[in-house]
Amino acid sequence: MNGRLAKKRGSTVDNRGGIFINILSFFLKQQLIFLMILFVIVSYASFTLQKESPSEIQYHLQQHNDVNHGYMTSKRFQRIKKTSPMDDKYITIWLHQVHRWFKEDENQTTAQKVKSYLLDAKESGFTHVMFDIPWAWTERESHGNVQIHSFGKEDVLAAACELNLPLHVVVTMRELPPWAGEDKKLFEWGRSKGYDYDLTTGPSPAHPEVWQMATEFLEMVSTQLIEKYGHCIASLSPTFNNEFETRYSQELNHMRDYSDHSIGAYKEWQVNKGLSSSPKTAEDPPTFDRLEICEPILDDKAWQWFEFREDFLVDKYVDLCKIVKTVRKGEDGKTYDPHCLLHFGEMFSSTDILNSNIFFKLATSEFVDHLVMDSNMALFGAPTSPSIVGILVSTAQVYGKEVHYEAATERILLCDDKGQIVETGEDFDGDKGVSLLVRSGVARALEAGVHSLGITNLCAPRTINNLLSHKEEDTKRSNAVKKGLSLMRASLFEPTAVLFIPYQAFYAYKLVISGVSCGVNHTKCWHESFDQIPTFGHGDVNKKPGMCNTDIAQYQLVNIWDDLRTRHAQVAVIADPDQLTDELLKGTTERVFLSFPHVMTNESWKFFEGEKLFSLFKEKSKKYPFSDIHVNIH
């Protein structure tokens, strides 16, 4: 009896224990399921922005901006898995630098100094040389008397070829030669509201006489270069811009070109577009405030003018590239078909309204072979985020051209008149300040698969090894100095995310700078050490410790790109809806669309032919949905 009772009691205890275990198991299972669901939600939220509302995304980004995690964010970027050595690196040497840095003295001739410089460049890992042939110093004496060897040009051309350093030759027509005269009608004119016309020193390609002289000069220079140096000419680069770029020049914030012939061309353009019945009834071009424009430009006449400036310059540069690419015969009896290289200054900013952005139309041209993307990461005179370099290179990659990134060093490594580095006490091996800025910019270009790196205005080529090497990599840096700088780039450009922003949107504002204009608050520097980098221009205005004045629209673009890079090794930046191809989009898992207030609504875009562009985007987004993020300008 006691045994049976004991057994029953034992059974009772066992049943209670089983019930407790079952309850506990059920609770744990529920908790596990809850945690799994929570994990999936969190993981999904961190992986894609598709389900977040624009306001939520903007809030998160704003919180990120306030605590200034720019440098830390870049450390969390997705890594590139497949890399390969970047074979091509060019160094620039401009004619005015030859005259300044390499003056003949009692010990060496200019030619000897130039050759020594180029030999240093080659031993430091540079494979190409970029040099300029200025119109004003090449056809100087009389019309048709083109001398490609005069004023020290032969010293560079001959030495580069002798050292097997292929040449990218910039043929610059930013100044008229002396014999062309000083007729004011030959030049570009700048203009702003409330100001008189501003006569510039730049010849106007809209003037038929200027255009004829310029194209004849380019034809003769190209012929002479190929005849003499065809075997070592990598590309020719025609330009009218004062910084060798492919866009309008600007000075004192005046838009160009308001010359009589440019206005006449604008009126003819209106007729061709069906906007006017005749040039007599066509509109004059609008003018704009010289200083900042804080409210979006919505006037149709303004957008017509913007579109004309693009169309006009694109046609001119395509014609110049056609001249460059003409097949010619060299003295060696061989035929050569030079490439056309075009150099594009920093874009995606509120200065685009002044310069005009013709990159996206020229990048599709069969006559353009090389795209040089240029940024000194100090657009308004204060250091910005090096991510802008990655954005520019990623933008260029989708066009299938040879993509270069050109980094300027003149504000980082100061040079004296003898071509020697001015000692400033800066530690160029350190992971801070200018060295961090330059290295990070180059890193973003390499991650985007840039094909070539250009370094401009560097008077001491061997310093590039220290500038681009990390302090903790002493052994690697020593080897780099001996063997030449070796850089690893992404082998392929295979983006898994797309960031789409129509480039025209940046025309809607002008000079919107944090801490300076339009009531925009200061923005923190990308890295705390950037506070010590010397500033200039707008970067000196209303300075505050730890703050860097920057273009506010570009600032937000960069932060969104940075956010995508924490989940994607490569992000395509598309600014033309025609480039939103199925081939590109089908390989992406995240797609983001940036819209500017008022100029871009859910019903239309206010650009010229904005309805057409809007329809193209809407059609693509049906198959490949985009999350919409609103850019906050103020």
Side-chain angles (χ1 to χ4, degrees):
M1 181 177 176
N2 290 341
R4 287 196 296 271
L5 182 61
K7 186 176 180 179
K8 287 181 180 177
R9 287 175 179 171
S11 297
T12 303
V13 171
D14 289 344
N15 288 339
R16 287 174 180 174
I19 292 171
F20 174 78
I21 291 171
N22 288 336
I23 293 172
L24 179 62
S25 176
F26 175 80
F27 177 78
L28 290 174
K29 285 180 181 179
Q30 294 300 312
Q31 289 291 93
L32 181 60
I33 292 171
F34 173 78
L35 290 172
M36 290 177 66
I37 293 172
L38 182 63
F39 175 79
V40 170
I41 292 172
V42 171
S43 298
Y44 183 74
S46 66
F47 178 73
T48 178
L49 297 174
Q50 298 291 334
K51 300 301 181 183
E52 287 192 279
S53 69
S55 60
E56 289 173 330
I57 296 169
Q58 191 173 43
Y59 172 77
H60 296 330
L61 289 170
Q62 186 60 49
Q63 292 295 101
H64 167 80
N65 296 344
D66 287 344
V67 295
N68 187 33
H69 281 172
Y71 181 56
M72 297 308 298
T73 299
S74 72
K75 291 189 169 226
R76 300 197 305 271
F77 284 172
Q78 290 294 308
R79 294 185 177 276
I80 304 299
K81 294 181 180 179
K82 296 181 180 180
T83 61
S84 58
M86 186 175 66
D87 296 327
D88 295 339
K89 296 174 280 289
Y90 70 79
I91 191 168
T92 69
I93 176 173
W94 309 123
L95 184 60
H96 72 89
Q97 292 169 340
V98 172
H99 297 160
R100 180 188 172 201
W101 292 345
F102 307 125
K103 294 176 183 177
E104 182 175 348
D105 57 32
E106 62 276 10
N107 298 317
Q108 285 184 305
T109 64
T110 295
Q112 290 172 327
K113 290 184 176 183
V114 167
K115 187 173 181 180
S116 177
Y117 172 88
L118 294 179
L119 185 59
D120 281 350
K122 184 173 184 177
E123 291 178 350
S124 299
F126 290 102
T127 59
H128 290 66
V129 174
M130 182 175 284
F131 180 58
D132 63 318
I133 301 286
W135 188 7
W137 292 92
T138 305
E139 193 180 11
R140 191 166 183 82
E141 304 302 327
S142 60
H143 187 200
N145 183 12
V146 174
Q147 300 179 27
I148 62 169
H149 287 152
S150 62
F151 299 104
K153 294 189 287 292
E154 183 178 15
D155 295 334
V156 178
L157 296 170
C161 288
E162 183 182 340
L163 294 172
N164 294 317
L165 291 169
L167 284 153
H168 297 294
V169 181
V170 180
V171 184
T172 171
M173 296 160 283
R174 64 175 180 173
E175 292 179 324
L176 287 172
W179 54 263
E182 298 180 357
D183 185 348
K184 293 181 179 179
K185 293 182 179 180
L186 299 176
F187 297 91
E188 288 185 328
W189 286 80
R191 189 179 178 189
S192 296
K193 281 184 179 178
Y195 290 86
D196 293 332
Y197 283 90
D198 175 38
L199 177 63
T200 74
T201 59
S204 171
H207 195 294
E209 186 178 341
V210 169
W211 184 246
Q212 181 176 346
M213 291 188 296
T215 52
E216 288 174 353
F217 169 70
L218 179 61
E219 175 72 39
M220 287 185 281
V221 166
S222 301
T223 299
Q224 289 187 27
L225 285 170
I226 296 304
E227 285 179 352
K228 183 68 176 178
Y229 303 106
H231 64 288
C232 63
I233 298 294
S235 73
L236 299 177
S237 179
T239 177
F240 276 88
N241 184 276
N242 62 358
E243 293 184 338
F244 303 160
E245 294 168 348
T246 310
R247 58 186 188 180
Y248 281 103
S249 297
Q250 58 153 301
E251 189 176 6
L252 302 175
N253 296 332
H254 288 309
M255 182 184 287
R256 303 178 183 183
D257 174 18
Y258 288 91
S259 65
D260 289 344
H261 285 280
S262 180
I263 293 174
Y266 174 51
K267 292 184 175 183
E268 290 287 351
W269 178 86
Q270 292 176 63
V271 174
N272 294 334
K273 289 290 185 179
L275 301 171
S276 179
S277 58
S278 73
K280 291 183 178 180
T281 58
E283 297 277 348
D284 284 329
T287 55
F288 303 90
D289 290 332
R290 182 179 175 185
L291 301 177
E292 64 268 18
I293 298 176
C294 303
E295 297 301 322
I297 298 171
L298 303 176
D299 180 56
D300 289 343
K301 300 295 190 295
W303 289 98
Q304 291 176 16
W305 173 240
F306 299 157
E307 184 72 10
F308 159 73
R309 296 170 85 230
E310 285 184 29
D311 289 351
F312 176 81
L313 276 192
V314 166
D315 288 346
K316 293 301 183 184
Y317 276 99
V318 167
D319 286 345
L320 294 175
C321 280
K322 287 179 181 178
I323 294 172
V324 160
K325 290 180 66 64
T326 300
V327 176
R328 295 177 173 86
K329 185 175 289 189
E331 290 179 349
D332 55 7
K334 298 179 180 179
T335 56
Y336 297 95
D337 179 13
H339 286 179
C340 187
L341 176 150
L342 295 179
H343 179 185
F344 297 91
E346 190 168 319
M347 62 185 79
F348 297 129
S349 81
S350 56
T351 62
D352 288 356
I353 184 176
L354 290 171
N355 297 313
S356 193
N357 192 341
I358 58 177
F359 169 84
F360 299 95
K361 292 179 179 178
L362 285 172
T364 62
S365 172
E366 62 180 301
F367 300 103
V368 178
D369 306 292
H370 295 254
L371 305 172
V372 177
M373 313 308 288
D374 179 13
S375 171
N376 62 2
M377 296 170 284
L379 181 65
F380 285 118
T384 59
S385 167
S387 291
I388 186 58
V389 177
I391 289 173
L392 294 175
V393 173
S394 299
T395 300
Q397 283 285 25
V398 299
Y399 293 92
K401 312 284 186 178
E402 190 79 7
V403 180
H404 310 253
Y405 164 54
E406 184 174 296
T409 62
E410 69 272 11
R411 296 189 184 277
I412 298 168
L413 296 172
L414 303 179
C415 299
D416 62 22
D417 288 341
K418 294 182 179 180
Q420 302 296 317
I421 296 290
V422 177
E423 293 296 333
T424 60
E426 177 74 33
D427 178 11
F428 295 108
D429 293 339
D431 231 358
K432 61 182 181 179
V434 293
S435 55
L436 175 62
L437 178 65
V438 174
R439 274 204 299 271
S440 299
V442 171
R444 300 295 86 81
L446 295 170
E447 291 160 1
V450 70
H451 303 112
S452 171
L453 172 66
I455 300 294
T456 186
N457 302 323
L458 181 63
C459 59
R462 292 185 185 275
T463 58
I464 194 62
N465 297 290
N466 292 332
L467 190 60
L468 295 183
S469 300
H470 288 281
K471 198 166 189 176
E472 62 269 20
E473 297 176 338
D474 290 333
T475 302
K476 292 182 180 180
R477 187 174 70 250
S478 298
N479 291 335
V481 173
K482 293 175 184 177
K483 300 177 183 178
L485 184 65
S486 177
L487 298 172
M488 302 298 290
R489 56 178 285 270
S491 302
L492 299 170
F493 185 68
E494 296 179 330
T496 55
V498 166
L499 176 54
F500 174 61
I501 172 66
Y503 71 90
Q504 295 94 332
F506 291 90
Y507 289 165
Y509 302 87
K510 178 183 172 186
L511 305 181
V512 184
I513 310 169
S514 63
V516 175
S517 61
C518 301
V520 180
N521 293 331
H522 282 83
T523 49
K524 290 189 176 182
C525 297
W526 185 80
H527 188 263
E528 58 186 10
S529 66
F530 286 9
D531 191 31
Q532 304 303 315
I533 296 177
T535 55
F536 59 95
H538 292 290
D540 287 332
V541 178
N542 197 20
K543 288 182 66 173
K544 285 188 176 181
M547 303 292 179
C548 291
N549 301 343
T550 188
D551 186 286
I552 198 62
Q554 185 183 98
Y555 181 80
Q556 295 183 70
L557 169 67
V558 163
N559 284 329
I560 294 164
W561 187 83
D562 281 353
D563 180 64
L564 290 169
R565 278 296 316 277
T566 63
R567 297 183 295 282
H568 303 273
Q570 293 175 324
V571 177
V573 181
I574 305 297
D576 177 358
D578 282 331
Q579 300 304 316
L580 292 172
T581 62
D582 286 346
E583 183 180 1
L584 171 69
L585 295 174
K586 68 183 180 182
T588 61
T589 58
E590 189 170 2
R591 296 167 293 276
V592 175
F593 163 55
L594 272 66
S595 61
F596 279 52
H598 307 298
V599 73
M600 300 169 69
T601 69
N602 292 329
E603 290 76 35
S604 65
W605 295 346
K606 304 301 182 182
F607 321 141
F608 184 80
E609 296 185 341
E611 291 182 4
K612 174 185 174 183
L613 299 174
F614 183 67
S615 296
L616 281 172
F617 171 66
K618 294 299 287 185
E619 189 63 31
K620 283 296 180 183
S621 61
K622 288 179 183 178
K623 185 175 181 181
Y624 303 97
F626 284 72
S627 61
D628 186 357
I629 300 179
H630 300 292
V631 174
N632 183 16
I633 297 299
H634 299 303

